[in-house]
Amino acid sequence: MTGFVHLPYKLRTFPTKSLAAYKPVACSATSGEGTGNGAAVNFQKNRGLVIAEIAVDKIRRPLSRTRANDPDKVKALMESIAQIGLQEPIDVLEVDGVYYGFSGCHRFEAHQRLGLPTIRCRIRRGTKETLRHHMR
Ligand code: ADP
């Protein structure tokens, strides 16, 4: 008998290219060792960006109060992340050693609600001016 495999939430839309690119993740980051900001010490360079595990509670989300997440999306992501892990890192901006998140809101909340200590991030370095631009 040929079985039907039910793929989890949005799995079929993953770009295989980026999945392969994100595979070699640096290291765990719960201690914040060496940086004091919850980021992994050994970063993995990837096309000018850095992929690293960052402590969930070290990521500031300045706009989170003004934007509501879709609870059904968060729930579906929680189930999927618990089952297969995060397949696509969230984007964060690093300014003077502080991490800011403006997107990936549902994945971030799913991590928080699952009680996961860290989240895989694609980090872009920026200036205070970049930050101001995001806050507008
Ligand atoms: P967000 O606000 O986090 O971007 P969306 O619902 O708009 O939430 O998009 C969910 C994103 O999470 C998609 O880009 C999807 O590829 C990604 N993703 C990463 N890991 C998973 C996973 N385990 N299951 C489902 N989607 C995932």
Side-chain angles (χ1 to χ4, degrees):
M1 195 183 112
T2 316
F4 175 75
V5 179
H6 178 73
L7 292 172
Y9 175 82
K10 280 198 176 175
L11 186 58
R12 280 159 293 186
T13 65
F14 291 165
T16 43
K17 212 168 148 193
S18 61
L19 270 184
Y22 300 143
K23 251 182 195 159
V25 173
C27 63
S28 69
T30 42
S31 67
E33 196 185 318
T35 63
N37 58 10
V41 178
N42 298 318
F43 290 113
Q44 177 72 42
K45 295 256 176 195
N46 187 314
R47 282 179 280 153
L49 298 168
V50 168
I51 308 287
E53 292 278 336
I54 297 181
V56 168
D57 62 6
K58 296 288 180 191
I59 301 172
R60 297 187 190 176
R61 303 197 66 91
L63 304 180
S64 63
R65 282 190 203 149
T66 60
R67 292 174 191 172
N69 283 340
D70 176 339
D72 292 337
K73 270 190 181 183
V74 174
K75 197 164 168 279
L77 276 165
M78 285 171 70
E79 282 168 18
S80 179
I81 289 167
Q83 229 180 345
I84 62 168
L86 184 67
Q87 302 293 302
E88 177 73 17
I90 63 165
D91 290 299
V92 298
L93 178 69
E94 183 198 333
V95 179
D96 297 337
V98 180
Y99 297 100
Y100 297 89
F102 295 94
S103 58
C105 314
H106 295 86
R107 280 165 282 175
F108 185 82
E109 187 180 334
H111 274 65
Q112 279 183 316
R113 294 183 55 185
L114 284 168
L116 296 172
T118 65
I119 182 166
R120 189 185 300 191
C121 298
R122 185 167 36 232
I123 305 164
R124 182 165 60 95
R125 292 216 164 91
T127 61
K128 287 202 171 72
E129 181 51 38
T130 327
L131 185 59
R132 268 195 290 276
H133 177 77
H134 279 277
M135 304 282 281
R136 271 179 217 144

